[in-house]
């Protein structure tokens, strides 16, 4: 079972409150939010008492599950969590948590749970005058969107994917570069589309990208913040693309047209999936995220030290700290560059390898 992050500062306040060592934080709790939702349901959609009891029990099951998520396993903590502190990233994590805990459930089951929590947030934001986007917004699933096991690309599929992506270089230049970055670095989708101009370090002796938090998207874990060396011709392509942008301020998005829309990660992933399904493979276990697993597999085949590989791909690992210290002294970029060049020489990594949970 996947492990989740430790309580942050405001969640620690909740724990301290329940222990009697801390005053309750100011805000509207999830309990208050959900009870308001139940009251509104009784008022607007009255039912016979027997049916009302059943409906309330059904809705409370979903609300309790969300409380369990908010409290990192403790419903008591979750019920008292202020809804003002629930972020869009928490919403996305809740969906992953749902399917981790209920792997046999179908999208429709998630959608029903999501519908209850989403509606409660919508009502509370309206009644309490909270001016912000619902953190559960846009998380409803279609049948084909349900997370499925992911496998690596086979060597012939990997070559075909690169050819297919080259085919959109003129018609969809931003999607092309986003996908090229993912193929060549093994980064996550949001890490690629969320780059800003200040994240391009192309004038350095060793050209590289810097994955870090910015106004476009948040990288939650410390290990997600890292450099990634890029080689030619991608380096020249990015330099040319950046030079053609109208906004050249440091915090300008590298892919301005892409980030204008909502649910950017989903939109990018959907476009990439269409390319894969139409021209590479119809295998449901093969998706663009498979490029990340493929890079990890190639690194293993090239005998890249595990600590360096974990660092390059933003993983939690005991050796990561040591590698990070080396980077602060200017050594890691050369190590990453050497690793990247070694990986380019690998043309066969087998067909049966599958990643461990948590990659």
């Amino acid at each position: 079972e996947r492990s989740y992050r430790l309580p942050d500062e405001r969640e620690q306040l909740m724990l301290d409150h329940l222990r009697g060592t801390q005053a309750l934080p100011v805000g509207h709790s999830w309990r208050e939010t959900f009870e308001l939702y139940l009251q509104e349901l009784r008022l607007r959609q009255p039912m016979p008492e027997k049916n009302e009891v059943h409906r309330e029990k059904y809705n409370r099951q979903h609300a309790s599950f969300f409380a369990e998520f908010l409290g990192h396993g403790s419903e008591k903590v979750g019920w008292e969590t202020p809804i003002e502190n629930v972020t869009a990233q928490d919403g996305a994590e809740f969906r992953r948590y749902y399917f981790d805990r209920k792997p046999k459930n179908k999208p429709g089951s998630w959608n029903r749970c999501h519908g209850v929590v989403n509606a409660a947030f919508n009502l509370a934001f309206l009644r309490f005058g909270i001016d912000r986007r619902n953190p559960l917004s846009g998380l409803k699933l279609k049948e084909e969107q349900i997370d499925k096991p992911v496998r690596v690309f086979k060597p012939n599929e990997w070559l075909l994917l690169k050819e297919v992506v080259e085919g959109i270089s003129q018609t969809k230049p931003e999607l092309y570069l986003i996908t090229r970055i993912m193929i060549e670095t093994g980064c996550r989708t949001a890490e690629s589309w969320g780059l800003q101009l200040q994240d391009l370090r192309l004038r350095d002796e060793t050209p590289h990208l810097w994955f870090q938090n910015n106004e476009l998207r948040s990288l939650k874990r410390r290990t997600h913040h890292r450099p990634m060396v890029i080689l030619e011709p991608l380096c020249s392509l990015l330099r040319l693309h950046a030079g053609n942008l109208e906004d050249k301020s440091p915090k300008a998005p590298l892919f301005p047209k892409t980030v204008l829309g909502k649910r950017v990660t989903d939109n990018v992933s959907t476009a990439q999936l269409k390319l894969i399904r139409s021209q590479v493979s119809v295998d449901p276990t093969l998706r663009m995220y498979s490029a990340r697993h493929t890079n990890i597999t190639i690194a293993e085949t090239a005998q890249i030290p595990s600590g360096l590989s974990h660092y390059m791909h933003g993983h939690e690992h005991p050796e990561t700290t040591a590698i990070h210290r080396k980077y602060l002294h200017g050594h890691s970029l050369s190590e990453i560059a050497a690793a990247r060049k070694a990986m380019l020489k690998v043309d066969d990594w087998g067909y049966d390898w599958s990643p461990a949970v948590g990659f």
Side-chain angles (χ1 to χ4, degrees):
E1 186 174 309
R2 197 179 291 176
S3 61
Y4 291 85
R5 56 183 172 80
L6 295 173
D8 58 25
E9 183 178 354
R10 54 98 177 172
E11 291 159 343
Q12 189 61 50
L13 288 175
M14 290 286 100
L15 291 169
D16 292 341
H17 161 67
L18 292 172
R19 297 185 184 114
T21 59
Q22 177 67 45
L24 183 66
V26 176
H28 302 280
S29 69
W30 170 235
R31 184 187 304 279
E32 180 183 4
T33 297
F34 180 66
E35 294 300 332
L36 174 65
Y37 171 69
L38 289 182
Q39 292 175 14
E40 189 73 8
L41 272 182
R42 297 187 195 105
L43 179 64
R44 297 198 172 208
Q45 300 177 24
M47 304 177 77
E49 183 177 353
K50 183 178 180 180
N51 293 353
E52 180 58 46
V53 170
H54 176 76
R55 180 172 68 178
E56 181 172 334
K57 180 180 178 181
Y58 169 83
N59 289 334
R60 197 171 290 279
Q61 286 176 343
H62 293 310
S64 296
F65 188 79
F66 185 61
E68 176 190 304
F69 163 76
L70 290 178
H72 302 286
S74 170
E75 281 189 36
K76 194 173 182 180
V77 172
W79 279 115
E80 304 308 322
T81 299
I83 62 170
E84 290 87 346
N85 293 338
V86 180
T87 67
Q89 196 161 357
D90 290 327
E93 190 175 352
F94 176 51
R95 187 168 73 179
R96 290 191 293 271
Y97 180 84
Y98 180 91
F99 285 108
D100 281 349
R101 294 293 308 277
K102 304 173 183 287
K104 294 184 179 180
N105 279 13
K106 295 183 178 180
S109 299
W110 155 254
N111 288 342
R112 287 188 285 275
C113 177
H114 166 264
V116 171
V117 179
N118 186 61
F121 268 87
N122 279 336
L123 177 63
F125 282 7
L126 179 64
R127 291 290 182 86
F128 301 145
I130 302 173
D131 186 18
R132 51 170 289 200
R133 188 169 183 262
N134 187 332
L136 276 293
S137 178
L139 293 176
K140 187 175 181 180
L141 285 175
K142 296 180 181 178
E143 180 66 32
E144 63 272 16
Q145 290 177 304
I146 183 67
D147 290 339
K148 297 181 176 69
V150 179
R151 70 166 174 85
V152 302
F153 284 92
K154 299 176 183 179
N156 63 315
E157 294 170 334
W158 192 235
L159 292 174
L160 180 56
L161 174 66
K162 292 179 179 180
E163 292 178 8
V164 169
V165 172
E166 284 298 320
I168 64 170
S169 61
Q170 300 300 317
T171 56
K172 300 177 180 179
E174 290 196 355
L175 180 63
Y176 165 68
L177 288 174
I178 290 170
T179 308
R180 277 290 297 265
I181 292 171
M182 293 177 66
I183 289 174
E184 298 197 20
T185 69
C187 71
R188 301 171 179 88
T189 309
E191 289 173 341
S192 182
W193 67 253
L195 289 167
Q196 295 177 322
L197 287 182
Q198 65 181 354
D199 301 324
L200 297 186
R201 313 293 171 85
L202 305 182
R203 298 183 183 277
D204 287 28
E205 182 178 351
T206 304
H208 62 284
L209 305 176
W210 183 256
F211 297 124
Q212 62 181 336
N213 281 335
N214 59 39
E215 290 79 2
L216 301 177
R217 50 95 173 96
S218 175
L219 304 182
K220 205 161 191 178
R221 297 181 181 176
R222 176 182 59 81
T223 52
H224 292 181
H225 300 209
R226 65 196 189 282
M228 176 53 73
V229 172
I230 52 175
L231 307 175
E232 294 293 353
L234 180 57
C235 183
S236 294
L237 291 171
L238 289 174
R239 186 179 291 113
L240 178 63
H241 173 76
N244 290 332
L245 294 177
E246 292 184 9
D247 187 352
K248 292 182 171 59
S249 60
K251 294 188 177 182
L254 183 59
F255 305 111
K257 294 181 181 178
T258 300
V259 302
L260 283 177
K262 296 180 180 179
R263 302 174 59 189
V264 181
T265 296
D266 286 345
N267 292 338
V268 170
S269 297
T270 298
Q272 292 169 332
L273 186 62
K274 286 181 180 178
L275 285 176
I276 293 172
R277 290 289 174 270
S278 63
Q279 301 185 57
V280 180
S281 174
V282 295
D283 184 347
T285 64
L286 196 64
R287 305 196 294 278
M288 194 58 224
Y289 202 80
S290 299
R292 178 168 171 79
H293 296 301
T294 304
N295 268 272
I296 295 166
T297 307
I298 293 174
E300 183 180 274
T301 306
Q303 298 184 334
I304 305 302
S306 61
L308 179 55
S309 179
H310 278 280
Y311 179 61
M312 290 167 60
H313 296 96
H315 292 154
E316 294 282 1
H317 192 273
E319 295 179 53
T320 300
T321 303
I323 296 294
H324 182 64
R325 290 200 186 102
K326 283 188 176 185
Y327 176 71
L328 293 178
H329 290 86
H331 300 301
S332 189
L333 281 178
S334 60
E335 291 180 353
I336 296 174
R340 295 272 289 109
K341 291 174 182 177
M343 290 168 64
L344 286 177
K345 298 177 181 178
V346 176
D347 57 11
D348 187 6
W349 48 88
Y351 300 148
D352 300 325
W353 186 91
S354 57
V357 173
F359 269 61

